[in-house]
Amino acid sequence: MHLQDVSLFLTICETRSLAKAARRLDMSPMAVSRRLAGLEQDLGVRLLQRTTRSVSLTEEGTEFLPYARALVEAEEGAKSLFSGKTAGAIGLLRVTAPSGFGRRNILPLIPELLAANPHLNVDLQLNEDVVDIVGGGIDVAIRIAPLRDSTLIARKITDNPRILCASPAYLQRHGRPEMLRQLGDHPCLRLTSVPQWTFEADGQNTSISVEGRFSSNNVEGVRELCVQGMGLAQLTRWDVMKEIADGTLVEIALRDAQPQMLSVWALLPTTRYLPQRVSLFIEALKASLNQ
C-alpha cells in the first residue's frame, strides 16, 4: 500500500469525483482510476462506488477513511520532526462543537493556539447538529449530551451538570421553587430539542415535561431571556457559569431532586494515531475548563 495512493483516496473523498480529483492532482482520470483500483487491490476491498457523475464510500471505505487520514498525517508529522522550519502542531484541525459552548469556551483558545503553532490551521464548526465526524473529516467533536453507543472514541474533558436557574428579579416576583412538582407553577424557558428536563432523584434519573411560552434551538436565546427575568431555565454549568458568578442568574437547588450529571466529551474517530494538533487542542480545552 503506497501512501501516495492513500492520499489520492482522500482527495477523491473530498471532491466526490474522480474527474475533480484528477484536476486537483494534475493527473488524468484514467491514472486516478488505475491507482485507486491498485489501492483497493492491496487492501482486498472495494472502497468507493463509482458512477458516471460521482463516487460514494462503501462501508469498507467508511471504515478505512480515518485510518487513511492517520497514515497521511503520520507521514507529515514524521517529516516535521526533522524539519528545522517546522515547530509545534501542523496541518488543519477540524473541530465541531455546540454553538453556545464553542463561542464561550473554544473560540477564546484559538488565538493562542494559532500564535504558538505557526503551521496550524483551524476549522471550527459551531452548530447543534450531530455531525458524521468520520465522513466529514472532523478531527474532534465536543459533545455535552449523554453519549449513545458508538464506534467513536470518547475522552472526558470535565464534569458539566445541568443547573436549574433564574434571575434574582424573577425569584423576587414569583418565589423560588423548592420541590420538583412546583416547576409546573412557573414559566419554563427551554431548548427546542429538550422538551423534558431531567433530574436525579432517589438515585435514578427522572424527566418531567415543562411548559412555557418560549423555546429556542440556541443556548444563548434561552440564557438571555432567563437573565431578563422571563422564567426558569435548565442549562449546563458551562452555559451559565459566568452569569451565576456575576449574580445575574441564581442557581436553584430543589429539596427532592439534584441536577443531572453530564460531562463535556471529546469524540475522536480513532486513537490508533492521534495527531499532535488534536492532542494539543484537547489539553488546552481541558486546562481552560479545569482552571
Side-chain angles (χ1 to χ4, degrees):
M1 186 170 58
H2 301 285
L3 280 176
Q4 286 183 335
D5 295 342
V6 176
S7 180
L8 177 143
F9 165 72
L10 293 177
T11 302
I12 297 173
C13 292
E14 291 174 5
T15 60
R16 298 289 179 178
S17 165
L18 294 178
K20 290 180 180 178
R23 286 195 294 271
R24 180 182 294 187
L25 298 171
D26 195 20
M27 298 171 58
S28 69
M30 181 78 69
V32 169
S33 180
R34 187 165 53 246
R35 284 178 53 182
L36 174 61
L39 176 62
E40 291 177 325
Q41 184 175 358
D42 289 338
L43 292 170
V45 296
R46 191 172 183 83
L47 299 173
L48 294 167
Q49 298 286 3
R50 289 85 147 171
T51 68
T52 55
R53 294 187 176 183
S54 64
V55 296
S56 59
L57 285 164
T58 63
E59 183 177 348
E60 292 78 10
T62 300
E63 292 179 356
F64 179 63
L65 188 56
Y67 294 97
R69 291 194 179 104
L71 287 168
V72 172
E73 289 163 355
E75 180 193 27
E76 294 172 353
K79 288 179 179 178
S80 72
L81 288 175
F82 306 102
S83 172
K85 299 179 181 179
T86 304
I90 63 172
L92 176 61
L93 172 67
R94 300 180 179 91
V95 181
T96 180
S99 56
F101 181 89
R103 289 190 185 98
R104 282 204 161 183
N105 301 289
I106 296 179
L107 274 176
L109 303 177
I110 301 303
E112 186 174 347
L113 280 174
L114 293 178
N117 300 273
H119 298 278
L120 176 68
N121 297 322
V122 177
D123 176 16
L124 177 60
Q125 302 176 18
L126 300 179
N127 55 65
E128 314 309 322
D129 299 331
V130 177
V131 179
D132 174 11
I133 72 173
V134 175
I138 301 296
D139 291 304
V140 55
I142 301 301
R143 293 286 178 263
I144 294 173
L147 298 180
R148 300 174 180 176
D149 291 338
S150 172
T151 57
L152 302 175
I153 308 301
R155 289 191 175 180
K156 182 178 176 180
I157 303 295
T158 189
D159 292 328
N160 191 27
R162 296 189 191 275
I163 288 180
L164 182 65
C165 57
S167 71
Y170 176 87
L171 295 177
Q172 186 175 9
R173 290 195 309 269
H174 301 282
R176 181 191 296 253
E178 296 185 351
M179 307 294 286
L180 202 56
R181 66 177 183 273
Q182 293 176 330
L183 296 185
D185 300 328
H186 294 263
C188 295
L189 313 167
R190 66 174 183 83
L191 293 168
T192 307
S193 59
V194 187
Q196 294 184 318
W197 287 356
T198 302
F199 299 85
E200 292 184 5
D202 299 325
Q204 294 186 343
N205 285 343
T206 180
S207 297
I208 63 168
S209 297
V210 292
E211 300 295 335
R213 298 172 60 193
F214 178 81
S215 64
S216 174
N217 69 341
N218 188 279
V219 166
E220 281 106 338
V222 173
R223 183 176 58 225
E224 177 61 28
L225 262 69
C226 192
V227 168
Q228 292 183 21
M230 299 300 294
L232 307 180
Q234 189 193 60
L235 296 171
T236 68
R237 173 194 290 167
W238 289 103
D239 292 327
V240 295
M241 179 174 285
K242 175 179 178 294
E243 286 72 20
I244 289 177
D246 64 25
T248 54
L249 288 178
V250 176
E251 182 176 358
I252 300 170
L254 301 176
R255 284 164 36 194
D256 60 344
Q258 294 77 43
Q260 181 189 23
M261 293 302 298
L262 298 178
S263 298
V264 178
W265 297 92
L267 298 188
L268 309 167
T270 178
T271 55
R272 292 293 181 92
Y273 169 74
L274 198 62
Q276 183 185 7
R277 62 179 178 271
V278 176
S279 301
L280 198 69
F281 167 74
I282 291 175
E283 291 307 313
L285 180 58
K286 183 181 294 187
S288 174
L289 294 181
N290 288 323
Q291 280 181 347

